[in-house]
Amino acid sequence: MNLRTYARWFPLALAALFAGLWLVPRAETQAERHLTVYAQSATYSVNLLPYSGQMYVGVADVLEPLGNVEAREDGKKWKLRFTPAGGREVNAEFQEGKNKGKIHGQDVQLSANFHMENGRGYIPLHNIGAMVPFFTGLQTDFRETPLRLFVGGIAISFREQVEKGATPKLILNFTGPVNPMVATEPGQVRLVFRRDPVVNAGADKVQTGDPNITGYSFTDAGGTAQLTINGAVPLTATFSDGNRTITIQPAPGVQIAGETVKPQEPAQQAAQTPPPGTPIPLTPAQPAAPAPPPQPRFVVVLDPAHGGDERGAAITDKIAEKDVNLAFARRLQHELQTRGVVATLLRSNDATINVDDRAVSANAAHPAIYVAIHAANLGNGMRIFTALMSPAGVSTHTFLPWHQAQAAYLDTSSQVAGSISAELSNRQIPVTALPAPLRPMRNIAAPAIAIELAPPDDDATNINSAEYQNNVAAAVANGIAAMKPKLQGAR
């Protein structure tokens, strides 16, 4: 989708919008499989491609969040240049229908033929674990069955310790901090590690020998690890040691051997008797100052437009907008994370998502800022769009009509657009800002903008230049990070 079209054909677009013709029918998609990649810079998922009776994975899809990637077709050959952060440049070359290639001058053998599709290069999934170290120089642990790839030795393992007695405990000590989703059911606690690189170095099923906390099982499949702890009584989980220790024990109020389990109390500092002769103050002790309220979580939702059946604009005959959008979104996510800003991708693979589902998913994340990402082959530099609609006199804390959800945030959205425009101008990147009747922006209950990446020059293929995309992503990330203090104070 070329956003400049909205500005050029505004009257028709606006009429269609208010006539309710902007709705896109829901597309049916088949179940997809993904590879989850864990690295120091990011945790992300990569869509797998069924081809020739097995699963294939895009080489650039795996490498893009790990450094600068430039890839191009040259007849039947596919050439890639990769530069990891702070590392040396690595060049690779493969050929369609051949099971051999070169990486940094070394011959490599694939388990099946290399495949090109829509300008992207794919290798058999079986080979990705051995190939990533050629590019990154980092230790890699590939677990093919659960579809998990660990880059840089970041896997987190754990060991258990069982304490029996009046209040039995199962203590899980992890080698790094974890933040699982905790689900409790009668006699069971489930710890689901969706983003933590948790692995199991021991048995998948363990019996504790305690009649109340009987044991646990570990599973990892589909890119997610899960610990299920079973018991004969209701259980609860508590975190300590910077989320490196999780203690499972019977829930408060449970009867064990005639004793009622009491809630855990915070450790108290032992009272100390002053030395003889020390004056005792007669003034009453001052109450401790109340802790400041926690800051709301500041999350930026990045929404790479199109995907799946929706290719978007044809940047060139071989470059589809949907692929440019996703690649740039991953670079922007990395730039934001290096600035301490949590960023999540609404679409992390080549999936078809309609505009209503995009808005529902974005609103469910309660973002501080929503950023839709587009690309075009017209003009140069960047265009930034805010929703074209009238401001509404409604509070952000009241019910917001679906088609007017953005109205209460228009001023803040314009400030975000202005902050990003200033950073782009500082880097001498051409930028234009204007409103557009674009969905799903108008359905977003948060500050929302759309950005459109255009080539840096008259050669449309240069839109995929890693140097150019990194420069633009850094400017956009700076503009968003500059808004963080103001937006946090207003939430």
Side-chain angles (χ1 to χ4, degrees), residues 272 274-275 277-286:
Q272 297 184 4
T278 302
I280 300 177
L282 299 179
T283 54
Q286 297 295 319

Side-chain angles (χ1 to χ4, degrees), residues 19-216:
L21 301 178
W22 216 278
L23 290 176
V24 178
R26 182 182 302 272
E28 297 295 333
T29 59
Q30 61 180 0
E32 296 175 333
R33 299 181 69 189
H34 308 94
L35 171 69
T36 300
V37 184
Y38 304 87
Q40 292 287 355
S41 57
T43 297
Y44 53 99
S45 63
V46 175
N47 193 39
L48 299 180
L49 175 72
Y51 176 74
S52 190
Q54 59 181 296
M55 300 308 297
Y56 273 62
V57 62
V59 180
D61 292 343
V62 174
L63 295 177
E64 277 169 343
L66 305 177
N68 297 332
V69 175
E70 294 184 39
R72 62 183 178 89
E73 283 186 74
D74 184 2
K76 289 189 175 183
K77 294 182 179 180
W78 188 78
K79 298 181 179 180
L80 178 140
R81 182 166 61 190
F82 174 74
T83 308
R88 61 187 175 91
E89 179 181 292
V90 178
N91 292 282
E93 181 179 304
F94 296 91
Q95 185 169 338
E96 170 70 25
K98 301 292 184 181
N99 65 353
K100 293 181 180 180
K102 285 185 179 293
I103 302 178
H104 208 61
Q106 299 184 48
D107 292 330
V108 293
Q109 180 84 36
L110 302 178
S111 59
N113 291 337
F114 182 80
H115 175 60
M116 284 194 299
E117 187 170 307
N118 297 324
R120 304 187 74 82
Y122 294 85
I123 65 171
L125 175 65
H126 179 72
N127 299 125
I128 193 64
M131 186 165 294
V132 169
F134 278 94
F135 291 100
T136 64
L138 298 174
Q139 172 190 347
T140 300
D141 177 14
F142 176 43
R143 308 200 171 193
E144 187 167 354
T145 299
L147 298 177
R148 306 177 80 199
L149 176 67
F150 304 88
V151 181
I154 66 166
I156 297 175
S157 60
F158 65 93
R159 58 182 177 83
E160 78 278 356
Q161 176 185 349
V162 179
E163 292 185 1
K164 301 181 181 181
T167 305
K169 297 177 181 178
L170 172 64
I171 303 173
L172 302 170
N173 295 301
F174 293 82
T175 57
V178 294
N179 186 29
M181 182 189 74
V182 181
T184 57
E185 301 173 4
Q188 188 178 90
V189 171
R190 287 185 294 113
L191 307 175
V192 183
F193 303 90
R194 296 193 182 279
R195 300 191 65 83
D196 299 317
V198 172
V199 298
N200 186 20
D204 288 340
K205 291 186 178 182
V206 172
Q207 299 298 319
T208 64
D210 183 84
N212 299 292
I213 307 175
T214 56
Y216 70 81

Side-chain angles (χ1 to χ4, degrees), residues 165-168 212 233 250 254-261:
T167 305
N212 299 292
V233 296
V254 171
Q255 291 279 338
I256 295 181
E259 298 288 335
T260 301
V261 177

Side-chain angles (χ1 to χ4, degrees), residues 227-246:
L227 271 168
T228 303
I229 300 96
N230 298 305
V233 296
L235 304 174
T236 186
T238 57
F239 292 73
S240 60
D241 188 26
N243 279 23
R244 287 176 170 82
T245 300
I246 302 177

Side-chain angles (χ1 to χ4, degrees), residues 87-453:
R88 61 187 175 91
E89 179 181 292
V90 178
N91 292 282
E93 181 179 304
F94 296 91
Q95 185 169 338
E96 170 70 25
K98 301 292 184 181
N99 65 353
K100 293 181 180 180
K102 285 185 179 293
I103 302 178
H104 208 61
Q106 299 184 48
D107 292 330
V108 293
Q109 180 84 36
L110 302 178
S111 59
N113 291 337
F114 182 80
H115 175 60
M116 284 194 299
E117 187 170 307
N118 297 324
R120 304 187 74 82
Y122 294 85
I123 65 171
L125 175 65
H126 179 72
N127 299 125
I128 193 64
M131 186 165 294
V132 169
F134 278 94
F135 291 100
T136 64
L138 298 174
Q139 172 190 347
T140 300
D141 177 14
F142 176 43
R143 308 200 171 193
E144 187 167 354
T145 299
L147 298 177
R148 306 177 80 199
L149 176 67
F150 304 88
V151 181
I154 66 166
I156 297 175
S157 60
F158 65 93
R159 58 182 177 83
E160 78 278 356
Q161 176 185 349
V162 179
E163 292 185 1
K164 301 181 181 181
T167 305
K169 297 177 181 178
L170 172 64
I171 303 173
L172 302 170
N173 295 301
F174 293 82
T175 57
V178 294
N179 186 29
M181 182 189 74
V182 181
T184 57
E185 301 173 4
Q188 188 178 90
V189 171
R190 287 185 294 113
L191 307 175
V192 183
F193 303 90
R194 296 193 182 279
R195 300 191 65 83
D196 299 317
V198 172
V199 298
N200 186 20
D204 288 340
K205 291 186 178 182
V206 172
Q207 299 298 319
T208 64
D210 183 84
N212 299 292
I213 307 175
T214 56
Y216 70 81
S217 60
F218 177 89
T219 58
D220 60 344
T224 300
Q226 178 173 301
L227 271 168
T228 303
I229 300 96
N230 298 305
V233 296
L235 304 174
T236 186
T238 57
F239 292 73
S240 60
D241 188 26
N243 279 23
R244 287 176 170 82
T245 300
I246 302 177
T247 301
I248 310 295
Q249 63 181 17
V254 171
Q255 291 279 338
I256 295 181
E259 298 288 335
T260 301
V261 177
K262 297 180 180 180
Q264 282 189 312
E265 297 182 359
Q268 300 281 339
Q269 183 176 0
Q272 297 184 4
T273 304
T278 302
I280 300 177
L282 299 179
T283 54
Q286 297 295 319
Q295 288 283 358
R297 188 165 177 256
F298 190 94
V299 179
V300 176
V301 169
L302 304 177
D303 183 5
H306 309 295
D309 297 333
E310 298 179 13
R311 297 186 74 248
I315 307 301
T316 69
D317 291 343
K318 296 180 179 179
I319 301 177
E321 181 192 355
K322 65 175 184 176
D323 297 325
V324 177
N325 296 342
L326 182 55
F328 181 75
R330 286 173 173 159
R331 295 185 193 275
L332 180 54
Q333 181 187 38
H334 174 69
E335 292 292 337
L336 287 168
Q337 289 174 337
T338 61
R339 290 159 176 77
V341 177
V342 177
T344 181
L345 296 181
L346 193 148
R347 173 175 74 87
S348 60
N349 52 73
D350 190 21
T352 304
I353 310 174
N354 71 31
V355 290
D356 286 311
D357 287 343
R358 290 178 187 270
V360 169
S361 297
N363 288 330
H366 303 290
I369 301 174
Y370 165 87
V371 182
I373 297 173
H374 289 260
N377 58 4
L378 299 177
N380 304 126
M382 290 288 291
R383 286 178 282 275
I384 305 177
F385 297 85
T386 52
L388 178 60
M389 56 195 306
S390 299
V394 295
S395 167
T396 58
H397 299 291
T398 61
F399 173 79
L400 298 174
W402 180 246
H403 289 290
Q404 290 184 310
Q406 178 59 196
Y409 298 89
L410 287 177
D411 287 345
T412 312
S413 299
S414 296
Q415 293 175 34
V416 173
S419 180
I420 295 174
S421 295
E423 292 291 338
L424 290 165
S425 297
N426 288 341
R427 293 174 179 254
Q428 299 183 339
I429 300 171
V431 57
T432 302
L434 67 158
L438 177 66
R439 293 191 69 201
M441 268 201 304
R442 63 185 296 115
N443 309 123
I444 303 298
I449 62 168
I451 59 177
E452 183 182 69
L453 179 70

